[in-house]
């Protein structure tokens, strides 16, 4: 999705100064670097890169789920990191997370070799179970217009970016993607309640 955005707007980047900020669930070896390399190829000047660990939206893989308290702690740590680097940037020092050769190697060994097959293209692997009641919530939320209601049931096309928005909002937990069952839906309001 990011690659498509950058390449389809390739004429925009020449001469632009860009700071690459990548969010991640567990690990992002060179998330900022992947975008930076592409942008650089189109003539952008890369000022720096920063990786922020955030609550993970993938709600059908148990390994990736944390409690609301743990998610709040992650958001607080991300806020603190942003504050820290904002001060440094004001003083002229930019972070270089994801931009170095060793980050690239870490991204290759820790991510792309294992997951690129799953995330390289848009997905047509969304499963919608019989529990669907055709409420339309998922279709109205999908940023790709990938879902429609046909015969009082949600139907998916082949343009899913795996953002997990529909999985986290379905009142019947009827949608799965990478896993077989929705374990815990990520709810931003719940996480931020009593938060910072
Ligand atoms: S949100 Fe769930 S129940 Fe509602 S239409 Fe979509 S899949 Fe069906
Ligand atoms: S995961 Fe995201 S892109 Fe894919 S169908 Fe659901 S809302 Fe649309």
């Amino acid at each position: 999705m990011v690659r498509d955005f950058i390449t389809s707007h390739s004429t925009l980047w020449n001469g632009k100064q860009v700071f690459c900020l990548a969010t991640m669930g567990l690990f992002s070896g060179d998330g900022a670097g992947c975008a930076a390399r592409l942008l650089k190829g189109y003539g952008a000047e890369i000022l720096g890169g920063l990786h922020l660990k955030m609550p993970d939206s993938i709600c059908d893989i148990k390994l990736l789920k944390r409690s609301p308290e743990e998610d709040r702690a992650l958001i607080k740590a991300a806020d603190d990191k942003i504050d820290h680097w904002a001060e440094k940037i004001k003083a002229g020092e930019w972070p270089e997370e994801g931009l170095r050769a060793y980050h690239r190697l870490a991204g290759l060994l820790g991510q792309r070799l294992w997951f690129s097959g799953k995330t390289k293209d848009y997905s047509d692997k969304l499963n919608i179970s019989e529990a669907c009641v055709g409420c339309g919530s998922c279709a109205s939320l999908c940023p790709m217009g990938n879902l429609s209601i046909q015969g009082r049931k949600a139907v998916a096309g082949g343009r899913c970016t795996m953002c997990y928005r529909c999985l986290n909002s379905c009142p019947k937990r009827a949608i799965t993607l990478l896993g077989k069952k929705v374990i815990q839906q990520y709810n931003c309001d719940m996480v931020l309640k009593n938060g910072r």
Side-chain angles (χ1 to χ4, degrees), residues 58-127:
I58 296 178
C59 57
D60 56 355
I61 300 281
K62 199 170 183 184
L63 177 71
L64 298 174
K65 295 323 301 166
R66 301 182 185 90
S67 69
E69 291 72 30
E70 289 169 320
D71 280 344
R72 275 195 285 276
L74 271 187
I75 292 170
K76 168 80 170 62
D79 276 343
D80 290 346
K81 189 171 180 182
I82 290 169
D83 289 345
H84 169 81
W85 276 107
E87 287 306 314
K88 293 245 180 200
I89 289 169
K90 274 196 257 176
E93 183 186 347
W94 294 82
E96 296 191 335
E97 290 180 354
L99 303 183
R100 300 283 196 182
Y102 58 83
H103 293 130
R104 190 168 182 175
L105 187 64
L108 178 69
L109 297 179
Q111 280 189 313
R112 284 191 292 286
L113 281 180
W114 314 104
F115 301 117
S116 68
K118 285 187 188 281
T119 58
K120 197 171 171 198
D121 299 313
Y122 293 107
S123 176
D124 60 358
K125 301 288 185 290
L126 217 65
N127 297 303

Side-chain angles (χ1 to χ4, degrees), residues 126 142-144 146-147 159-167:
L126 217 65
C142 176
M144 297 299 290
N146 188 49
L147 291 156
R159 293 267 305 157
C160 174
T161 61
M162 304 170 78
C163 75
Y164 269 72
R165 211 169 171 190
C166 59
L167 284 85

Side-chain angles (χ1 to χ4, degrees), residues 128 131-139 149 153-154 166 169-175:
I128 301 171
C132 170
V133 292
C135 70
S137 167
C138 56
I149 304 299
K153 186 165 164 44
C166 59
S169 66
C170 173
K172 297 295 178 186
R173 298 189 171 196
I175 313 175

